[in-house]
């Protein structure tokens, strides 16, 4: 079985490849798909150029591949077209397992990030590819900037209200992807993946305080307060609006659910919030 990992030089992609190797996968059976192949040379596996904007590169990268992990792209607004190019090529190549990293409750969520994931899931379903959907909750590492800012100022300011987040470390999600790629029995599943504990921003402030050794207070912001602060910090109107909408989604509970599926898949508890933050402090 040959596995292609797209976005292989990204933070998640690198961890997935490392997890596959840790689980005994043959390095020659793993293909790291990357737009810049030079960045993938140190991964210890085969490397193939894969540029979403160049369909011929996707077709070539899929040569001889049985399973694909499509790690969702990072370019908001362009992701559906990019994902569709990989889905179409995988369909033509006769891929027997297609795994996609989606978002929590992608088909029903009001989260501002959900529509592109919903559209991608629909494309996968329409393609007829034997698929597994991994609806990843937030990566704890997403809070690196908040950690640094709050450790310096003693204030964690956000517009998420009392919303809870079932985050886990990227390593946890990478391990889940590796398990699904290597094991049989997952085709057709849609896994809602999250950390074992759903925490709120007061908990996040307490975790930052523990790591930094100083008092940290959570300051809830209204949407208008948050937007004004982001604009004053130099963000453009569109980006500021996106961040405000994202926090509003968190406040409404879009990332709060956790049912232990991630821990069951990886065979261990997920990484606690404090430990995940400490690894990036």
């Amino acid at each position: 079985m040959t596995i292609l990992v797209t976005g292989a030089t990204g933070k998640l992609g690198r961890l997935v490849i490392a997890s596959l190797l840790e689980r005994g996968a043959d390095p020659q059976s793993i293909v790291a798909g990357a737009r810049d192949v030079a960045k993938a040379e140190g991964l210890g596996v085969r490397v193939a150029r894969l540029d979403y904007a160049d369909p011929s590169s996707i077709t070539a990268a899929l040569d001889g591949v049985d399973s694909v992990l499509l790690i969702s792209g990072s370019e908001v607004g362009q992701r559906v077209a990019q994902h569709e190019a990989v889905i179409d090529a995988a369909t033509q190549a006769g891929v027997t397992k297609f795994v996609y990293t989606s978002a929590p409750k992608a088909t029903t969520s009001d989260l501002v990030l959900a529509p592109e994931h919903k559209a991608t899931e629909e494309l996968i379903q329409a393609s007829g590819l034997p698929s597994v959907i991994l609806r990843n909750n937030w990566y704890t590492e997403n809070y690196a900037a908040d950690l640094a800012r709050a450790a310096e100022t003693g204030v964690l300011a956000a517009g998420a209200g009392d919303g809870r987040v079932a985050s886990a470390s990227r390593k946890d999600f990478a391990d889940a992807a590796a398990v699904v790629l290597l094991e049989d029995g997952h085709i057709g599943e849609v896994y809602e993946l999250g950390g074992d504990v759903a925490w709120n921003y007061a908990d996040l402030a307490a975790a930052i305080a523990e790591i930094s050794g100083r008092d940290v207070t959570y300051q809830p912001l209204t949407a208008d307060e948050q937007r004004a602060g982001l604009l004053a910090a130099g963000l453009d109107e569109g980006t500021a609006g996106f961040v405000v909408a994202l926090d509003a989604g968190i406040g409404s509970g879009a990332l709060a659910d956790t049912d232990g599926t991630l821990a069951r898949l990886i065979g261990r508890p997920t990484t606690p919030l404090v430990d995940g933050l400490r690894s990036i402090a």
Side-chain angles (χ1 to χ4, degrees):
M1 181 180 66
T2 300
I3 299 168
L4 170 67
V5 177
T6 73
T9 59
K11 294 176 181 178
L12 181 63
R14 288 178 177 275
L15 289 171
V16 171
I17 289 173
S19 187
L20 289 168
L21 294 173
E22 288 169 3
R23 285 166 167 72
D26 181 351
Q28 289 303 305
S29 72
I30 304 171
V31 180
R35 184 166 52 188
D36 184 348
V37 295
K39 292 181 179 179
E41 294 297 342
L43 293 174
V45 298
R46 294 162 54 194
V47 177
R49 179 175 173 271
L50 194 158
D51 186 341
Y52 294 133
D54 180 2
S56 64
S57 74
I58 304 173
T59 299
L62 280 161
D63 185 34
V65 166
D66 305 291
S67 300
V68 172
L69 172 63
L70 173 56
I71 295 177
S72 56
S74 59
E75 297 174 281
V76 176
Q78 301 181 45
R79 292 191 287 190
V80 177
Q82 293 175 344
H83 297 166
E84 186 172 20
V86 179
I87 293 165
D88 289 347
T91 304
Q92 291 297 317
V95 164
T96 57
K97 183 186 289 186
F98 192 90
V99 184
Y100 173 61
T101 61
S102 190
K105 298 182 179 179
T107 53
T108 58
S109 175
D110 291 330
L111 197 67
V112 67
L113 287 172
E116 288 184 302
H117 292 291
K118 177 178 185 289
T120 299
E121 288 192 22
E122 291 171 346
L123 289 170
I124 293 169
Q125 183 176 19
S127 74
L129 283 166
S131 64
V132 188
I133 305 298
L134 305 178
R135 290 180 173 171
N136 291 353
N137 205 301
W138 247 221
Y139 306 135
T140 298
E141 292 87 345
N142 289 353
Y143 292 92
D146 296 280
L147 169 62
R149 190 179 307 111
E152 179 181 350
T153 65
V155 177
L156 172 68
D162 196 39
R164 292 185 174 271
V165 180
S167 75
S169 71
R170 278 197 185 89
K171 178 70 163 62
D172 297 335
F173 292 109
D175 284 348
V179 166
V180 165
L181 287 164
L182 294 173
E183 289 184 354
D184 294 329
H186 298 286
I187 297 297
E189 296 289 347
V190 177
Y191 291 124
E192 297 284 351
L193 302 180
D196 295 335
V197 176
W199 47 264
N200 63 21
Y201 276 62
D203 298 324
L204 178 58
I208 295 172
E210 180 177 336
I211 293 166
S212 64
R214 66 166 299 168
D215 290 338
V216 176
T217 302
Y218 171 43
Q219 179 184 343
L221 302 174
T222 67
D224 288 343
E225 289 170 340
Q226 186 178 28
R227 181 179 290 103
L230 293 169
L231 292 174
L235 271 66
D236 62 84
E237 186 69 46
T239 304
F242 181 85
V243 173
V244 170
L246 197 57
D247 270 15
I250 293 172
S252 69
L255 301 179
D257 289 353
T258 178
D259 64 3
T261 299
L262 177 55
R264 287 192 293 272
L265 270 179
I266 63 180
R268 59 172 174 79
T270 60
T271 305
L273 174 63
V274 170
D275 293 342
L277 291 172
R278 188 174 283 117
S279 71
I280 57 174

